[in-house]
Amino acid sequence: MKSAEIRRRFLDYFVTKGHTEVESASLIPHNDPTLMFTAAGMVPFKDCFLGAEKRAYTRATTAQRCVRAGGKHNDLENVGYTARHHTFFEMLGNFSFGDYFKREAIQFAWEFLTKELGLPEEKLWVTVHISDDEAERIWKEEIGVSPERFSKLDEDNFWSAGDVGPCGPSTEIFYDHGADVAGGPPGSPDEDGDRYIEIWNLVFMQYDRDEAGNKNPLPNPSIDTGMGLERLAAVLQNVHSNYEIDLFVNLIKAASEVTGCTDLENRSLRVIADHIRSCAFLIADGVLPSNEGRGYVLRRIIRRALRHGNKLGAPAIFFSKLVDALIAEMGEAYPVLKEQRDNVVRALHAEEEQFGRTLANGMKLLEAEMQAAEGKQIDGETVFKLYDTYGFPADLTADVARENGFSIDEAGFEAAMDEQRQRAREASNFKAGAKVDLSAADATKFDGYDTLSQQAKVVALFKEGAAVESLAAGEAGRLVLDQTPFYAESGGQCGDTGFIFDEANNVRVTDCQKQGDIHLHSIEVLKGDIKVGQAVSTSVDADEREAIARHHSATHLAHAALRQILGAHVEQKGSMVTADRLRFDFAHNEAMTVEQIEAVEALVNQQIVANGEVSTKLMSMDEAKESGAMMLFGEKYGDEVRVLAMGEDRFSVELCGGTHVKRTGDIGYFRIISEGGIAAGIRRIEAVTGPAAATYINDNRRALNTIGATLKAAPEMAAEKVVALTKKTRELEKQLEQLQQKLAASAGADLASSAQEINGIKLVAAKVEAQGGALRDMVDQLKDKLGSGVVLLAADNDGKVSLAAGVTKDLIGKIKAGDLVKQAAEKVDGRGGGKPDFAQAGGKNPTGIDDALQVAVSLLS
Ligand code: SER
C-alpha cells in the first residue's frame, strides 16, 4: 500500500468515527514561545486539551507534518544510525477533546490496525504505563491481547509535548519485524534494535504540568494519538527500514544522482534524503537559516546534510537540487511546498555557497586534530574553533567524531562559548560605560508612560564608575533616582534626554541606560552641586520623546505591514528607534522591490490616516497569547506582559515595553528611506516619520530642484533628461576614443619619416601621446609604413609608462620584439614581454623613458 493511500485510509477511517479532518498545521507552532517546532500531531491542539480554546468539534483527525530536531523532542543525532528515526516525518493522529477516553481510543486503534489494515495480531505488542490498571484491563479483557505480548513500562509510557503543558500516561503499539532483525521487545535490554518498532502511541491526556513540575488535572480527560506514517508504511510495504518505503525510494535515487554515490544503501544518502525533507518544509513554513533559535536548528540540519554530501564527494551545490524530487513526492499532499519552491531553492543554495567556502578547510583541521589526538576525544577549544571560524555546529563535529570513534568535549566547548558571550557582553556594555556597583540601590520606579516630569530623590551618584556623594558644576557622571520619567534604552528604543534640577541646581541628562532594573542617567552638571539624598524635579525633553514615540509606533506598523506584503517568515531580528529615524532588521531572503517598498509605506500610512487609538494593556502571558500578540521564539517573558495593539482590526499586536503615540495619526507620515542586506537572509530598512519625514522629503526636493535648474528642465522631467544626458555622454566618450585612435595613427605615419638607420635596419624609437590600444595600432601602422624595420614607442599616462615594440617579420631572426621590450622596460622600473614581432610592457618610472628608447639604438648598433 502506497503512503498516500495509507494517509487517506487513516483519515477516512476516523471521519467515519465522527472525527473532523483538519489540515496539517505549519511546522512553526502558532504563537508559542515554549515550543521549537511542531513535533507531534497534538501541538496545534494544545490549547484545546487545556480547555483554553473551544472548537466546533470535539473529535479531530490529522496527518501532521512534524520536525524533531532541537528542542525537547530531538532525533537529529539518530538520523542515519537507525532505520526509523527522522528529522521530518508525518504523524497520523486522532484526537478527543473531552469526548471519548481510553476505551474508545484503544478500540479504534486496534480495529484500524487489525481489521482495516489486516495486520496479524500476533505481530503486535502492547505496552501501558505501570500505574495504568484500567488500560491493562481494557487491553487484556476487552480486546483480548495475549499477556505474552504485553508489558508495563514507566517513563516510556508517559508523554508530554514540552516541559509545561498537557501530558499523561500512554499506551503504545509495537510491530514485530521478525526474528531476522536484531532487537528485543519493549522493556527488554536490547529494545533499541530495529526488530520491535513502536508504530502507535495513544496518550491519555490527563494533566497540565506547570513550571514547578506539578501535574494539575485537566478539566476534561482527552485523547492524543500519534502514528508515524513512515513506520506504518514500512510494515505495510514489507520492508524493515523506513528508508525503503515508496516515499524515500525516489528521493534516495535523486540524492544518488546529485552526489554521484551509486551505493543506494549508503548511510549518507539516507541522511541527505531525510534532511532535505525537514529543511525544505521548514523553509516553506517560513524559517530561514540563521545563528539563533529555529533558524539555527535549520542551519545545523542543512550543514549536516552538506557534510554528508561532501563525504560522498558531491559537488558544492547538490542539496538545493533535490527540492524538485521532493516536490514530485510530496507536493500533492503539501501544496505549500510547491508554492514556496523558489524560496526554498534559493535559501538552500545560498547556504550551500556560504558553507561550501569553509567546509573543506574545517574538515582538514578536524582530521588533523583526530590524527594528532592522544585520546579519543576532541577538545573543546577545537570544537569551538570549528564553530567560530569554519561554521561547524557542535553536533556536526560530534557526528564526524562519532564516525571515527571519537567524542567531543562538550563542557569545554560550552566554556569557550561562554567566554565568547562574556566578551560580547563586555563589548556591548561599552556604551553605558563600566558597570557600577548598584547592590545598595532598589529598582528604579519608572513613571515615564504617564508623565514626563515629577519629583524624585537622588539615590546614588557615580564619577568614572566610582560612587561619590556629590558632583559639582562642570563635572559629568551618572545618577540614580528613586523614581524617574526617563526611559532607559531597551527594546531598541533609545534612552531619553532632558533635565534634572531644583532652585540651586541644573543638570543635563544626555542619555539613560538600564543596569538590571535600575535607570542610570548620564549627566552633565551645569549649575550648583548635586548631592545624594537631594530632592529634585525631573523633566524629559518632550519634543524628543514625541519624535521617538512616532518612530517606535511606526516600527510596529511597519513590522505588521512587512509581514502582510512579504510573508509570515518576516521576523524581527533587530530594531533601533531614535528621534531622527527608525531602523528595523528582519528575516527575508532578497532585496525588496520598489513596488514592495511602496506597498509597505502605503499600508502603514493607511493605518496612520485611520487614526485609531493605540491601546496598552498589562495582562498575563496566557491572555496575551489569546489576544494574538506577536511573540519572539526563545524570548523570556515575565508572568505579566505589556501588550500594545494599534491600527484597524488590531493591525499590529505586539508585546512591548516602549513608549508610544496615543493615536496612530500622531505619527503623521511614514517613509522608508533605505533598504539593504546586512547578513545572509537579513534585510534592514530605515524609515522616518512626521517632521523627520518632511525634512527628508524637502531635502530630496531641493536636490531635485538643483538638478532641474542645472539641466534647465522642470523637476518632473529631470530624470528623463539625466538618462538622455548620460547616454549622450557615453556616445561622446566613444567618439572621442575613436578620434584619438585616428590621430594616433596619423601621428604614427608622421613618425615613419623620422626613422633612423642603424646597421642597415630602419628604427623608429619615440615617445608618443597614446594609450593601450592606440599604441599598438601605431606600432602596426609604422611597421606597414617602414616595410622592414624596428619600432619602439613609449607613452606616459599620468606617471604610468606604456612601452610597445614591433619588428617586421623579415627581421625577427636578428632582433625580437619581446627581448627589446624586456630590456627597455628595466629602464622604467617595469616588466613585460611578448612575441618576436610584437611585445608590450608597463613601467612606473617616466623619467627612464629616454634611456628605454636608447636601448633600441644600442641593441641594433
Ligand atoms: N503526542 C504523542 C506522540 O507524539 C501521541 O501523538 O507520540
Side-chain angles (χ1 to χ4, degrees), residues 39-40 42 68 91 159 201 203 224-226:
M42 56 77 68
R68 290 195 171 175
M91 187 178 269
W159 202 88
N201 185 15
V203 182
D224 150 37
T225 89

Side-chain angles (χ1 to χ4, degrees), residues 41-161:
M42 56 77 68
V43 167
F45 301 114
K46 226 174 112 184
D47 285 343
C48 302
F49 293 116
L50 296 173
E53 186 186 340
K54 290 267 174 294
R55 303 212 183 184
Y57 42 81
T58 54
R59 297 180 177 203
T61 181
T62 59
Q64 173 65 47
R65 54 182 180 275
C66 296
V67 162
R68 290 195 171 175
K72 177 175 161 71
H73 295 279
N74 178 19
D75 287 337
L76 180 60
E77 281 77 31
N78 286 323
V79 174
Y81 292 94
T82 74
R84 60 183 192 282
H85 283 103
H86 300 289
T87 53
F88 174 96
F89 66 101
E90 290 176 78
M91 187 178 269
L92 305 172
N94 55 291
F95 308 93
S96 146
F97 314 120
D99 188 325
Y100 61 84
F101 200 44
K102 292 186 189 179
R103 170 170 297 108
E104 290 91 329
I106 291 173
Q107 282 168 347
F108 288 151
W110 197 251
E111 184 177 77
F112 181 73
L113 291 177
T114 59
K115 300 272 155 28
E116 187 71 18
L117 299 180
L119 294 184
E121 290 184 16
E122 63 277 11
K123 297 288 268 176
L124 301 175
W125 186 292
V126 171
T127 65
V128 301
H129 191 250
I130 35 167
S131 69
D132 199 346
D133 298 337
E134 186 190 354
E136 178 176 16
R137 203 190 45 73
I138 298 173
W139 276 117
K140 286 188 177 158
E141 291 173 18
E142 298 183 25
I143 302 288
V145 298
S146 151
E148 264 111 67
R149 289 194 306 277
F150 184 88
S151 37
K152 291 177 97 171
L153 304 175
D154 191 358
E155 279 129 40
D156 285 345
N157 279 109
F158 193 91
W159 202 88
S160 57

Side-chain angles (χ1 to χ4, degrees), residues 673-693:
I673 61 175
S674 76
E675 190 276 346
I678 56 164
I682 301 185
R683 311 293 303 176
R684 165 174 293 176
I685 56 165
E686 293 188 304
V688 286
T689 66

